[in-house]
Amino acid sequence: EVQLVESGGGLVQPGGSLRLSCAASGFTFSSYWMSWVRQAPGKGLEWVANIKQDGSEKYYVDSVKGRFTISRDNAKNSLYLQMNSLRAEDTAVYYCAREISELGIAKYYFDYWGQGTLVTVSS
Amino acid sequence: EIVMTQSPATLSVSPGERATLSCRASQSVSSNLAWYQQKPGQAPRLLIYGASTRATGIPARFSGSGSGTEFTLTISSLQSEDFAVYYCQQYNNWPRLTFGGGTKVEIK
């Protein structure tokens, strides 16, 4: 059974930092692109960042570029999101999600999601 | 950025009735569109990918259609467990993935 379990959320002051983790199990973690997706309270979904199987490619939504860093440790089956210079507008539930594509097409959507971890940026 | 617009924002439907949800893309996304269901306090769940292919374990009452810029999710006969928020997501412009704002399906 595929499982994704996020941790590391909490309350942080504006300008502060936080590191989120996602522990993966039930599948070959090193074979998949992985993403972070967030959802502000009462709002919709926003893709934040993703990372290639070997960590050699990373992409970010413009609003977090230069502040957030996605990484992974395939030996530990874990995905991370280092968040620096946090702002009030970063307040959200952060989901870890596995990316999948139709055979032969390098375009990916999400087939499994974790339960999320809440990040609150407030003084 | 490809902007995804969903309508209506809220849909009031009686159990057993049909629900039709719309999703429009600001430019063509071909058939690279997915639909997700999200219940309160839960993570999203994949329903449809490739605009019309049901994900594993998704009941046949859920169907997707469309291509290019106009897409529809139809729930043929609403069950109590189907009342939720539904999101469309384009992945044609991967890795720049974008979601619609969601449609809440509520009990009439």
PDB file of all heavy atoms in Angstrom, chain A residues 44-82:
ATOM      1  N   GLY A  44      -8.054  26.851  -2.627  1.00  0.00           N
ATOM      2  CA  GLY A  44      -7.784  25.753  -3.536  1.00  0.00           C
ATOM      3  C   GLY A  44      -6.359  25.244  -3.445  1.00  0.00           C
ATOM      4  O   GLY A  44      -5.582  25.632  -2.574  1.00  0.00           O
ATOM      5  N   LEU A  45      -6.024  24.369  -4.390  1.00  0.00           N
ATOM      6  CA  LEU A  45      -4.724  23.709  -4.408  1.00  0.00           C
ATOM      7  C   LEU A  45      -3.733  24.481  -5.253  1.00  0.00           C
ATOM      8  O   LEU A  45      -4.079  25.036  -6.304  1.00  0.00           O
ATOM      9  CB  LEU A  45      -4.891  22.295  -4.975  1.00  0.00           C
ATOM     10  CG  LEU A  45      -5.836  21.392  -4.192  1.00  0.00           C
ATOM     11  CD1 LEU A  45      -6.225  20.178  -5.027  1.00  0.00           C
ATOM     12  CD2 LEU A  45      -5.209  20.955  -2.879  1.00  0.00           C
ATOM     13  N   GLU A  46      -2.485  24.510  -4.808  1.00  0.00           N
ATOM     14  CA  GLU A  46      -1.412  25.185  -5.542  1.00  0.00           C
ATOM     15  C   GLU A  46      -0.175  24.289  -5.548  1.00  0.00           C
ATOM     16  O   GLU A  46       0.363  23.946  -4.479  1.00  0.00           O
ATOM     17  CB  GLU A  46      -1.078  26.534  -4.909  1.00  0.00           C
ATOM     18  CG  GLU A  46       0.045  27.264  -5.648  1.00  0.00           C
ATOM     19  CD  GLU A  46       0.457  28.571  -4.997  1.00  0.00           C
ATOM     20  OE1 GLU A  46       0.526  28.620  -3.748  1.00  0.00           O
ATOM     21  OE2 GLU A  46       0.736  29.537  -5.726  1.00  0.00           O
ATOM     22  N   TRP A  47       0.282  23.932  -6.740  1.00  0.00           N
ATOM     23  CA  TRP A  47       1.536  23.193  -6.852  1.00  0.00           C
ATOM     24  C   TRP A  47       2.690  24.106  -6.418  1.00  0.00           C
ATOM     25  O   TRP A  47       2.732  25.277  -6.807  1.00  0.00           O
ATOM     26  CB  TRP A  47       1.730  22.711  -8.286  1.00  0.00           C
ATOM     27  CG  TRP A  47       3.103  22.186  -8.555  1.00  0.00           C
ATOM     28  CD1 TRP A  47       3.601  20.964  -8.190  1.00  0.00           C
ATOM     29  CD2 TRP A  47       4.170  22.892  -9.201  1.00  0.00           C
ATOM     30  NE1 TRP A  47       4.921  20.872  -8.589  1.00  0.00           N
ATOM     31  CE2 TRP A  47       5.284  22.021  -9.211  1.00  0.00           C
ATOM     32  CE3 TRP A  47       4.291  24.153  -9.778  1.00  0.00           C
ATOM     33  CZ2 TRP A  47       6.506  22.389  -9.770  1.00  0.00           C
ATOM     34  CZ3 TRP A  47       5.493  24.521 -10.338  1.00  0.00           C
ATOM     35  CH2 TRP A  47       6.583  23.635 -10.331  1.00  0.00           C
ATOM     36  N   VAL A  48       3.616  23.561  -5.642  1.00  0.00           N
ATOM     37  CA  VAL A  48       4.714  24.349  -5.098  1.00  0.00           C
ATOM     38  C   VAL A  48       6.054  24.006  -5.760  1.00  0.00           C
ATOM     39  O   VAL A  48       6.792  24.903  -6.190  1.00  0.00           O
ATOM     40  CB  VAL A  48       4.825  24.135  -3.578  1.00  0.00           C
ATOM     41  CG1 VAL A  48       6.059  24.835  -3.008  1.00  0.00           C
ATOM     42  CG2 VAL A  48       3.565  24.626  -2.874  1.00  0.00           C
ATOM     43  N   ALA A  49       6.380  22.733  -5.803  1.00  0.00           N
ATOM     44  CA  ALA A  49       7.689  22.327  -6.322  1.00  0.00           C
ATOM     45  C   ALA A  49       7.674  20.844  -6.650  1.00  0.00           C
ATOM     46  O   ALA A  49       6.870  20.091  -6.093  1.00  0.00           O
ATOM     47  CB  ALA A  49       8.790  22.615  -5.303  1.00  0.00           C
ATOM     48  N   ASN A  50       8.575  20.443  -7.546  1.00  0.00           N
ATOM     49  CA  ASN A  50       8.758  19.016  -7.787  1.00  0.00           C
ATOM     50  C   ASN A  50      10.211  18.688  -8.065  1.00  0.00           C
ATOM     51  O   ASN A  50      11.049  19.584  -8.287  1.00  0.00           O
ATOM     52  CB  ASN A  50       7.818  18.458  -8.853  1.00  0.00           C
ATOM     53  CG  ASN A  50       8.002  19.078 -10.221  1.00  0.00           C
ATOM     54  OD1 ASN A  50       8.868  19.928 -10.433  1.00  0.00           O
ATOM     55  ND2 ASN A  50       7.182  18.660 -11.166  1.00  0.00           N
ATOM     56  N   ILE A  51      10.515  17.391  -7.994  1.00  0.00           N
ATOM     57  CA  ILE A  51      11.895  16.949  -8.100  1.00  0.00           C
ATOM     58  C   ILE A  51      11.949  15.608  -8.831  1.00  0.00           C
ATOM     59  O   ILE A  51      11.105  14.733  -8.618  1.00  0.00           O
ATOM     60  CB  ILE A  51      12.532  16.849  -6.684  1.00  0.00           C
ATOM     61  CG1 ILE A  51      14.013  16.491  -6.764  1.00  0.00           C
ATOM     62  CG2 ILE A  51      11.772  15.860  -5.797  1.00  0.00           C
ATOM     63  CD1 ILE A  51      14.746  16.658  -5.425  1.00  0.00           C
ATOM     64  N   LYS A  52      12.941  15.485  -9.681  1.00  0.00           N
ATOM     65  CA  LYS A  52      13.129  14.284 -10.476  1.00  0.00           C
ATOM     66  C   LYS A  52      13.573  13.116  -9.601  1.00  0.00           C
ATOM     67  O   LYS A  52      13.998  13.314  -8.460  1.00  0.00           O
ATOM     68  CB  LYS A  52      14.184  14.561 -11.552  1.00  0.00           C
ATOM     69  CG  LYS A  52      14.288  13.496 -12.643  1.00  0.00           C
ATOM     70  CD  LYS A  52      15.289  13.912 -13.691  1.00  0.00           C
ATOM     71  CE  LYS A  52      15.411  12.859 -14.786  1.00  0.00           C
ATOM     72  NZ  LYS A  52      16.372  13.269 -15.840  1.00  0.00           N
ATOM     73  N   GLN A  53      13.483  11.930 -10.172  1.00  0.00           N
ATOM     74  CA  GLN A  53      13.806  10.722  -9.425  1.00  0.00           C
ATOM     75  C   GLN A  53      15.187  10.783  -8.748  1.00  0.00           C
ATOM     76  O   GLN A  53      15.331  10.392  -7.585  1.00  0.00           O
ATOM     77  CB  GLN A  53      13.785   9.505 -10.362  1.00  0.00           C
ATOM     78  CG  GLN A  53      12.408   9.103 -10.859  1.00  0.00           C
ATOM     79  CD  GLN A  53      12.025   9.767 -12.159  1.00  0.00           C
ATOM     80  OE1 GLN A  53      12.482  10.869 -12.464  1.00  0.00           O
ATOM     81  NE2 GLN A  53      11.175   9.108 -12.929  1.00  0.00           N
ATOM     82  N   ASP A  54      16.197  11.286  -9.471  1.00  0.00           N
ATOM     83  CA  ASP A  54      17.552  11.310  -8.921  1.00  0.00           C
ATOM     84  C   ASP A  54      17.923  12.662  -8.327  1.00  0.00           C
ATOM     85  O   ASP A  54      19.086  12.875  -7.940  1.00  0.00           O
ATOM     86  CB  ASP A  54      18.570  10.913  -9.985  1.00  0.00           C
ATOM     87  CG  ASP A  54      18.588  11.875 -11.160  1.00  0.00           C
ATOM     88  OD1 ASP A  54      17.810  12.842 -11.158  1.00  0.00           O
ATOM     89  OD2 ASP A  54      19.373  11.638 -12.104  1.00  0.00           O
ATOM     90  N   GLY A  55      16.977  13.576  -8.267  1.00  0.00           N
ATOM     91  CA  GLY A  55      17.214  14.889  -7.684  1.00  0.00           C
ATOM     92  C   GLY A  55      17.913  15.865  -8.610  1.00  0.00           C
ATOM     93  O   GLY A  55      18.236  16.980  -8.182  1.00  0.00           O
ATOM     94  N   SER A  56      18.138  15.493  -9.849  1.00  0.00           N
ATOM     95  CA  SER A  56      18.924  16.324 -10.763  1.00  0.00           C
ATOM     96  C   SER A  56      18.122  17.472 -11.381  1.00  0.00           C
ATOM     97  O   SER A  56      18.710  18.399 -11.940  1.00  0.00           O
ATOM     98  CB  SER A  56      19.520  15.458 -11.883  1.00  0.00           C
ATOM     99  OG  SER A  56      18.487  14.850 -12.636  1.00  0.00           O
ATOM    100  N   GLU A  57      16.817  17.397 -11.307  1.00  0.00           N
ATOM    101  CA  GLU A  57      15.965  18.476 -11.822  1.00  0.00           C
ATOM    102  C   GLU A  57      14.960  18.868 -10.750  1.00  0.00           C
ATOM    103  O   GLU A  57      14.360  17.993 -10.095  1.00  0.00           O
ATOM    104  CB  GLU A  57      15.218  18.039 -13.080  1.00  0.00           C
ATOM    105  CG  GLU A  57      16.109  17.796 -14.284  1.00  0.00           C
ATOM    106  CD  GLU A  57      15.316  17.412 -15.519  1.00  0.00           C
ATOM    107  OE1 GLU A  57      14.239  17.995 -15.732  1.00  0.00           O
ATOM    108  OE2 GLU A  57      15.775  16.520 -16.277  1.00  0.00           O
ATOM    109  N   LYS A  58      14.787  20.167 -10.601  1.00  0.00           N
ATOM    110  CA  LYS A  58      13.843  20.687  -9.620  1.00  0.00           C
ATOM    111  C   LYS A  58      13.137  21.882 -10.243  1.00  0.00           C
ATOM    112  O   LYS A  58      13.772  22.681 -10.941  1.00  0.00           O
ATOM    113  CB  LYS A  58      14.581  21.138  -8.342  1.00  0.00           C
ATOM    114  CG  LYS A  58      15.462  20.069  -7.720  1.00  0.00           C
ATOM    115  CD  LYS A  58      16.258  20.624  -6.559  1.00  0.00           C
ATOM    116  CE  LYS A  58      17.234  19.576  -6.024  1.00  0.00           C
ATOM    117  NZ  LYS A  58      18.008  20.085  -4.852  1.00  0.00           N
ATOM    118  N   TYR A  59      11.859  22.020  -9.943  1.00  0.00           N
ATOM    119  CA  TYR A  59      11.081  23.134 -10.462  1.00  0.00           C
ATOM    120  C   TYR A  59      10.250  23.717  -9.331  1.00  0.00           C
ATOM    121  O   TYR A  59       9.835  22.994  -8.413  1.00  0.00           O
ATOM    122  CB  TYR A  59      10.185  22.669 -11.609  1.00  0.00           C
ATOM    123  CG  TYR A  59      10.963  22.100 -12.776  1.00  0.00           C
ATOM    124  CD1 TYR A  59      11.153  20.728 -12.899  1.00  0.00           C
ATOM    125  CD2 TYR A  59      11.522  22.941 -13.731  1.00  0.00           C
ATOM    126  CE1 TYR A  59      11.885  20.203 -13.948  1.00  0.00           C
ATOM    127  CE2 TYR A  59      12.249  22.416 -14.795  1.00  0.00           C
ATOM    128  CZ  TYR A  59      12.429  21.053 -14.896  1.00  0.00           C
ATOM    129  OH  TYR A  59      13.154  20.532 -15.931  1.00  0.00           O
ATOM    130  N   TYR A  60       9.975  25.033  -9.437  1.00  0.00           N
ATOM    131  CA  TYR A  60       9.260  25.736  -8.383  1.00  0.00           C
ATOM    132  C   TYR A  60       8.226  26.681  -8.978  1.00  0.00           C
ATOM    133  O   TYR A  60       8.430  27.242 -10.063  1.00  0.00           O
ATOM    134  CB  TYR A  60      10.242  26.568  -7.544  1.00  0.00           C
ATOM    135  CG  TYR A  60      11.325  25.775  -6.872  1.00  0.00           C
ATOM    136  CD1 TYR A  60      12.541  25.552  -7.503  1.00  0.00           C
ATOM    137  CD2 TYR A  60      11.142  25.252  -5.594  1.00  0.00           C
ATOM    138  CE1 TYR A  60      13.550  24.817  -6.894  1.00  0.00           C
ATOM    139  CE2 TYR A  60      12.149  24.522  -4.968  1.00  0.00           C
ATOM    140  CZ  TYR A  60      13.338  24.312  -5.631  1.00  0.00           C
ATOM    141  OH  TYR A  60      14.336  23.580  -5.011  1.00  0.00           O
ATOM    142  N   VAL A  61       7.153  26.896  -8.238  1.00  0.00           N
ATOM    143  CA  VAL A  61       6.236  27.972  -8.594  1.00  0.00           C
ATOM    144  C   VAL A  61       6.952  29.287  -8.330  1.00  0.00           C
ATOM    145  O   VAL A  61       7.808  29.378  -7.420  1.00  0.00           O
ATOM    146  CB  VAL A  61       4.924  27.854  -7.791  1.00  0.00           C
ATOM    147  CG1 VAL A  61       5.141  28.150  -6.316  1.00  0.00           C
ATOM    148  CG2 VAL A  61       3.856  28.744  -8.376  1.00  0.00           C
ATOM    149  N   ASP A  62       6.657  30.302  -9.113  1.00  0.00           N
ATOM    150  CA  ASP A  62       7.403  31.561  -9.020  1.00  0.00           C
ATOM    151  C   ASP A  62       7.391  32.160  -7.618  1.00  0.00           C
ATOM    152  O   ASP A  62       8.381  32.740  -7.173  1.00  0.00           O
ATOM    153  CB  ASP A  62       6.842  32.578 -10.022  1.00  0.00           C
ATOM    154  CG  ASP A  62       7.204  32.248 -11.464  1.00  0.00           C
ATOM    155  OD1 ASP A  62       8.073  31.376 -11.675  1.00  0.00           O
ATOM    156  OD2 ASP A  62       6.608  32.859 -12.370  1.00  0.00           O
ATOM    157  N   SER A  63       6.282  32.015  -6.910  1.00  0.00           N
ATOM    158  CA  SER A  63       6.127  32.685  -5.617  1.00  0.00           C
ATOM    159  C   SER A  63       7.068  32.143  -4.535  1.00  0.00           C
ATOM    160  O   SER A  63       7.230  32.776  -3.493  1.00  0.00           O
ATOM    161  CB  SER A  63       4.685  32.591  -5.139  1.00  0.00           C
ATOM    162  OG  SER A  63       4.294  31.246  -5.009  1.00  0.00           O
ATOM    163  N   VAL A  64       7.680  31.006  -4.749  1.00  0.00           N
ATOM    164  CA  VAL A  64       8.580  30.432  -3.733  1.00  0.00           C
ATOM    165  C   VAL A  64      10.024  30.334  -4.211  1.00  0.00           C
ATOM    166  O   VAL A  64      10.909  29.956  -3.421  1.00  0.00           O
ATOM    167  CB  VAL A  64       8.101  29.056  -3.239  1.00  0.00           C
ATOM    168  CG1 VAL A  64       6.638  29.107  -2.826  1.00  0.00           C
ATOM    169  CG2 VAL A  64       8.336  27.968  -4.276  1.00  0.00           C
ATOM    170  N   LYS A  65      10.276  30.678  -5.461  1.00  0.00           N
ATOM    171  CA  LYS A  65      11.643  30.592  -5.986  1.00  0.00           C
ATOM    172  C   LYS A  65      12.599  31.439  -5.163  1.00  0.00           C
ATOM    173  O   LYS A  65      12.305  32.584  -4.828  1.00  0.00           O
ATOM    174  CB  LYS A  65      11.675  31.049  -7.445  1.00  0.00           C
ATOM    175  CG  LYS A  65      11.233  30.015  -8.434  1.00  0.00           C
ATOM    176  CD  LYS A  65      11.327  30.558  -9.858  1.00  0.00           C
ATOM    177  CE  LYS A  65      10.786  29.580 -10.863  1.00  0.00           C
ATOM    178  NZ  LYS A  65      10.755  30.135 -12.225  1.00  0.00           N
ATOM    179  N   GLY A  66      13.742  30.856  -4.831  1.00  0.00           N
ATOM    180  CA  GLY A  66      14.736  31.561  -4.032  1.00  0.00           C
ATOM    181  C   GLY A  66      14.499  31.467  -2.541  1.00  0.00           C
ATOM    182  O   GLY A  66      15.372  31.848  -1.741  1.00  0.00           O
ATOM    183  N   ARG A  67      13.327  30.988  -2.134  1.00  0.00           N
ATOM    184  CA  ARG A  67      13.020  30.860  -0.697  1.00  0.00           C
ATOM    185  C   ARG A  67      12.870  29.400  -0.272  1.00  0.00           C
ATOM    186  O   ARG A  67      13.222  29.035   0.848  1.00  0.00           O
ATOM    187  CB  ARG A  67      11.727  31.616  -0.375  1.00  0.00           C
ATOM    188  CG  ARG A  67      11.773  33.101  -0.677  1.00  0.00           C
ATOM    189  CD  ARG A  67      10.530  33.811  -0.137  1.00  0.00           C
ATOM    190  NE  ARG A  67       9.290  33.316  -0.714  1.00  0.00           N
ATOM    191  CZ  ARG A  67       8.279  32.822   0.007  1.00  0.00           C
ATOM    192  NH1 ARG A  67       8.364  32.757   1.322  1.00  0.00           N
ATOM    193  NH2 ARG A  67       7.166  32.418  -0.591  1.00  0.00           N
ATOM    194  N   PHE A  68      12.298  28.582  -1.143  1.00  0.00           N
ATOM    195  CA  PHE A  68      12.058  27.174  -0.827  1.00  0.00           C
ATOM    196  C   PHE A  68      13.027  26.298  -1.619  1.00  0.00           C
ATOM    197  O   PHE A  68      13.380  26.618  -2.752  1.00  0.00           O
ATOM    198  CB  PHE A  68      10.633  26.762  -1.205  1.00  0.00           C
ATOM    199  CG  PHE A  68       9.545  27.345  -0.350  1.00  0.00           C
ATOM    200  CD1 PHE A  68       9.777  28.373   0.558  1.00  0.00           C
ATOM    201  CD2 PHE A  68       8.247  26.842  -0.449  1.00  0.00           C
ATOM    202  CE1 PHE A  68       8.772  28.893   1.336  1.00  0.00           C
ATOM    203  CE2 PHE A  68       7.221  27.359   0.318  1.00  0.00           C
ATOM    204  CZ  PHE A  68       7.484  28.398   1.204  1.00  0.00           C
ATOM    205  N   THR A  69      13.412  25.175  -1.005  1.00  0.00           N
ATOM    206  CA  THR A  69      14.268  24.205  -1.689  1.00  0.00           C
ATOM    207  C   THR A  69      13.701  22.806  -1.481  1.00  0.00           C
ATOM    208  O   THR A  69      13.509  22.378  -0.338  1.00  0.00           O
ATOM    209  CB  THR A  69      15.701  24.253  -1.155  1.00  0.00           C
ATOM    210  OG1 THR A  69      16.242  25.572  -1.331  1.00  0.00           O
ATOM    211  CG2 THR A  69      16.584  23.245  -1.898  1.00  0.00           C
ATOM    212  N   ILE A  70      13.448  22.125  -2.575  1.00  0.00           N
ATOM    213  CA  ILE A  70      12.977  20.749  -2.519  1.00  0.00           C
ATOM    214  C   ILE A  70      14.185  19.820  -2.635  1.00  0.00           C
ATOM    215  O   ILE A  70      15.144  20.115  -3.376  1.00  0.00           O
ATOM    216  CB  ILE A  70      11.940  20.463  -3.625  1.00  0.00           C
ATOM    217  CG1 ILE A  70      11.279  19.097  -3.427  1.00  0.00           C
ATOM    218  CG2 ILE A  70      12.553  20.595  -5.009  1.00  0.00           C
ATOM    219  CD1 ILE A  70      10.091  18.843  -4.370  1.00  0.00           C
ATOM    220  N   SER A  71      14.149  18.720  -1.898  1.00  0.00           N
ATOM    221  CA  SER A  71      15.230  17.743  -1.979  1.00  0.00           C
ATOM    222  C   SER A  71      14.675  16.370  -1.633  1.00  0.00           C
ATOM    223  O   SER A  71      13.536  16.246  -1.185  1.00  0.00           O
ATOM    224  CB  SER A  71      16.383  18.115  -1.045  1.00  0.00           C
ATOM    225  OG  SER A  71      15.955  18.111   0.305  1.00  0.00           O
ATOM    226  N   ARG A  72      15.485  15.372  -1.835  1.00  0.00           N
ATOM    227  CA  ARG A  72      15.052  14.011  -1.516  1.00  0.00           C
ATOM    228  C   ARG A  72      16.255  13.173  -1.112  1.00  0.00           C
ATOM    229  O   ARG A  72      17.394  13.473  -1.491  1.00  0.00           O
ATOM    230  CB  ARG A  72      14.344  13.382  -2.718  1.00  0.00           C
ATOM    231  CG  ARG A  72      15.200  13.163  -3.941  1.00  0.00           C
ATOM    232  CD  ARG A  72      14.340  12.816  -5.173  1.00  0.00           C
ATOM    233  NE  ARG A  72      13.628  11.553  -5.015  1.00  0.00           N
ATOM    234  CZ  ARG A  72      12.578  11.201  -5.779  1.00  0.00           C
ATOM    235  NH1 ARG A  72      12.119  12.033  -6.696  1.00  0.00           N
ATOM    236  NH2 ARG A  72      11.992  10.022  -5.607  1.00  0.00           N
ATOM    237  N   ASP A  73      15.976  12.111  -0.358  1.00  0.00           N
ATOM    238  CA  ASP A  73      16.986  11.132   0.032  1.00  0.00           C
ATOM    239  C   ASP A  73      16.404   9.769  -0.314  1.00  0.00           C
ATOM    240  O   ASP A  73      15.556   9.250   0.437  1.00  0.00           O
ATOM    241  CB  ASP A  73      17.307  11.251   1.516  1.00  0.00           C
ATOM    242  CG  ASP A  73      18.438  10.333   1.945  1.00  0.00           C
ATOM    243  OD1 ASP A  73      18.674   9.297   1.282  1.00  0.00           O
ATOM    244  OD2 ASP A  73      19.095  10.633   2.968  1.00  0.00           O
ATOM    245  N   ASN A  74      16.820   9.226  -1.441  1.00  0.00           N
ATOM    246  CA  ASN A  74      16.234   7.959  -1.891  1.00  0.00           C
ATOM    247  C   ASN A  74      16.621   6.798  -0.970  1.00  0.00           C
ATOM    248  O   ASN A  74      15.874   5.824  -0.857  1.00  0.00           O
ATOM    249  CB  ASN A  74      16.661   7.665  -3.327  1.00  0.00           C
ATOM    250  CG  ASN A  74      15.965   8.575  -4.338  1.00  0.00           C
ATOM    251  OD1 ASN A  74      14.923   9.159  -4.044  1.00  0.00           O
ATOM    252  ND2 ASN A  74      16.557   8.708  -5.508  1.00  0.00           N
ATOM    253  N   ALA A  75      17.739   6.898  -0.298  1.00  0.00           N
ATOM    254  CA  ALA A  75      18.133   5.834   0.638  1.00  0.00           C
ATOM    255  C   ALA A  75      17.204   5.786   1.849  1.00  0.00           C
ATOM    256  O   ALA A  75      17.017   4.733   2.454  1.00  0.00           O
ATOM    257  CB  ALA A  75      19.567   6.055   1.092  1.00  0.00           C
ATOM    258  N   LYS A  76      16.620   6.937   2.164  1.00  0.00           N
ATOM    259  CA  LYS A  76      15.695   7.015   3.306  1.00  0.00           C
ATOM    260  C   LYS A  76      14.237   7.097   2.860  1.00  0.00           C
ATOM    261  O   LYS A  76      13.353   7.279   3.694  1.00  0.00           O
ATOM    262  CB  LYS A  76      16.033   8.235   4.158  1.00  0.00           C
ATOM    263  CG  LYS A  76      17.392   8.157   4.838  1.00  0.00           C
ATOM    264  CD  LYS A  76      17.631   9.369   5.722  1.00  0.00           C
ATOM    265  CE  LYS A  76      18.969   9.267   6.451  1.00  0.00           C
ATOM    266  NZ  LYS A  76      19.232  10.436   7.309  1.00  0.00           N
ATOM    267  N   ASN A  77      14.000   6.981   1.563  1.00  0.00           N
ATOM    268  CA  ASN A  77      12.630   7.090   1.031  1.00  0.00           C
ATOM    269  C   ASN A  77      11.932   8.351   1.539  1.00  0.00           C
ATOM    270  O   ASN A  77      10.771   8.306   1.980  1.00  0.00           O
ATOM    271  CB  ASN A  77      11.805   5.852   1.395  1.00  0.00           C
ATOM    272  CG  ASN A  77      12.270   4.612   0.667  1.00  0.00           C
ATOM    273  OD1 ASN A  77      12.848   4.681  -0.423  1.00  0.00           O
ATOM    274  ND2 ASN A  77      12.041   3.460   1.262  1.00  0.00           N
ATOM    275  N   SER A  78      12.632   9.455   1.455  1.00  0.00           N
ATOM    276  CA  SER A  78      12.102  10.685   2.036  1.00  0.00           C
ATOM    277  C   SER A  78      12.235  11.877   1.093  1.00  0.00           C
ATOM    278  O   SER A  78      13.197  12.007   0.337  1.00  0.00           O
ATOM    279  CB  SER A  78      12.823  11.008   3.343  1.00  0.00           C
ATOM    280  OG  SER A  78      12.494  10.051   4.335  1.00  0.00           O
ATOM    281  N   LEU A  79      11.228  12.730   1.171  1.00  0.00           N
ATOM    282  CA  LEU A  79      11.157  13.974   0.419  1.00  0.00           C
ATOM    283  C   LEU A  79      11.173  15.118   1.425  1.00  0.00           C
ATOM    284  O   LEU A  79      10.594  14.982   2.519  1.00  0.00           O
ATOM    285  CB  LEU A  79       9.864  14.012  -0.394  1.00  0.00           C
ATOM    286  CG  LEU A  79       9.562  15.260  -1.222  1.00  0.00           C
ATOM    287  CD1 LEU A  79      10.504  15.340  -2.430  1.00  0.00           C
ATOM    288  CD2 LEU A  79       8.103  15.235  -1.684  1.00  0.00           C
ATOM    289  N   TYR A  80      11.788  16.232   1.046  1.00  0.00           N
ATOM    290  CA  TYR A  80      11.895  17.367   1.960  1.00  0.00           C
ATOM    291  C   TYR A  80      11.518  18.672   1.277  1.00  0.00           C
ATOM    292  O   TYR A  80      11.594  18.791   0.051  1.00  0.00           O
ATOM    293  CB  TYR A  80      13.340  17.487   2.485  1.00  0.00           C
ATOM    294  CG  TYR A  80      13.862  16.224   3.117  1.00  0.00           C
ATOM    295  CD1 TYR A  80      14.729  15.383   2.423  1.00  0.00           C
ATOM    296  CD2 TYR A  80      13.476  15.856   4.402  1.00  0.00           C
ATOM    297  CE1 TYR A  80      15.206  14.210   2.997  1.00  0.00           C
ATOM    298  CE2 TYR A  80      13.944  14.686   4.979  1.00  0.00           C
ATOM    299  CZ  TYR A  80      14.808  13.865   4.262  1.00  0.00           C
ATOM    300  OH  TYR A  80      15.271  12.709   4.827  1.00  0.00           O
ATOM    301  N   LEU A  81      11.128  19.640   2.109  1.00  0.00           N
ATOM    302  CA  LEU A  81      10.931  20.994   1.614  1.00  0.00           C
ATOM    303  C   LEU A  81      11.498  21.943   2.669  1.00  0.00           C
ATOM    304  O   LEU A  81      10.947  22.061   3.761  1.00  0.00           O
ATOM    305  CB  LEU A  81       9.462  21.298   1.357  1.00  0.00           C
ATOM    306  CG  LEU A  81       9.187  22.655   0.694  1.00  0.00           C
ATOM    307  CD1 LEU A  81       9.732  22.662  -0.736  1.00  0.00           C
ATOM    308  CD2 LEU A  81       7.693  22.976   0.681  1.00  0.00           C
ATOM    309  N   GLN A  82      12.610  22.586   2.324  1.00  0.00           N
ATOM    310  CA  GLN A  82      13.192  23.603   3.195  1.00  0.00           C
ATOM    311  C   GLN A  82      12.566  24.936   2.826  1.00  0.00           C
ATOM    312  O   GLN A  82      12.658  25.377   1.676  1.00  0.00           O
ATOM    313  CB  GLN A  82      14.705  23.654   3.006  1.00  0.00           C
ATOM    314  CG  GLN A  82      15.393  24.734   3.821  1.00  0.00           C
ATOM    315  CD  GLN A  82      15.321  24.489   5.312  1.00  0.00           C
ATOM    316  OE1 GLN A  82      15.517  23.369   5.782  1.00  0.00           O
ATOM    317  NE2 GLN A  82      15.031  25.539   6.074  1.00  0.00           N
TER     318      GLN A  82
END
